[in-house]
């Protein structure tokens, strides 16, 4: 209740990832409970294997091996400079 996901995806290990206005949310129990994994206004998120890539507050961030890092910043319009 109250999650309001923009997108919802499942990883191969069953972890659920939701892109929400409050951030990227994570559930390891089928959606019964959710934990904030990354704060910010998330427009979209995609699961790629064990990695999660999200568009947060205008920048692209990736979760790899449990750590989040920026991988793209806006360059103007719909284009990004990839890091």
């Amino acid at each position: 209740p109250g999650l309001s996901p923009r997108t919802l995806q499942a990883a191969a290990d069953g972890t659920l990832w939701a892109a929400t206005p409050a951030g990227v949310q994570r559930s390891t129990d089928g959606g019964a409970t959710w934990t904030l994994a990354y704060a910010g206004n998330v427009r979209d998120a995609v699961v790629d294997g064990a990695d999660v890539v999200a568009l947060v507050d205008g920048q692209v961030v990736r979760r790899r091996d449990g750590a989040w890092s920026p991988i793209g910043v806006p360059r103007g319009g719909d284009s990004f400079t990839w890091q």
Side-chain angles (χ1 to χ4, degrees):
L3 187 64
S4 301
R6 291 181 168 137
T7 59
L8 178 65
Q9 294 193 1
D13 66 0
T15 301
L16 297 176
W17 294 94
T20 74
V24 177
Q25 305 276 340
R26 175 179 185 236
S27 176
T28 57
D29 58 9
T33 60
W34 293 89
T35 303
L36 182 64
Y38 193 92
N41 184 12
V42 182
R43 299 301 305 158
D44 200 2
V46 220
V47 174
D48 179 21
D51 295 344
V52 178
V53 178
L55 178 59
V56 183
D57 294 325
Q59 77 173 352
V60 181
V61 296
R62 175 179 56 209
R63 180 183 185 271
R64 177 173 280 169
D65 299 326
W68 290 91
S69 60
I71 61 170
V73 292
R75 196 171 54 185
D78 290 332
S79 62
F80 288 85
T81 299
W82 300 103
Q83 300 174 344

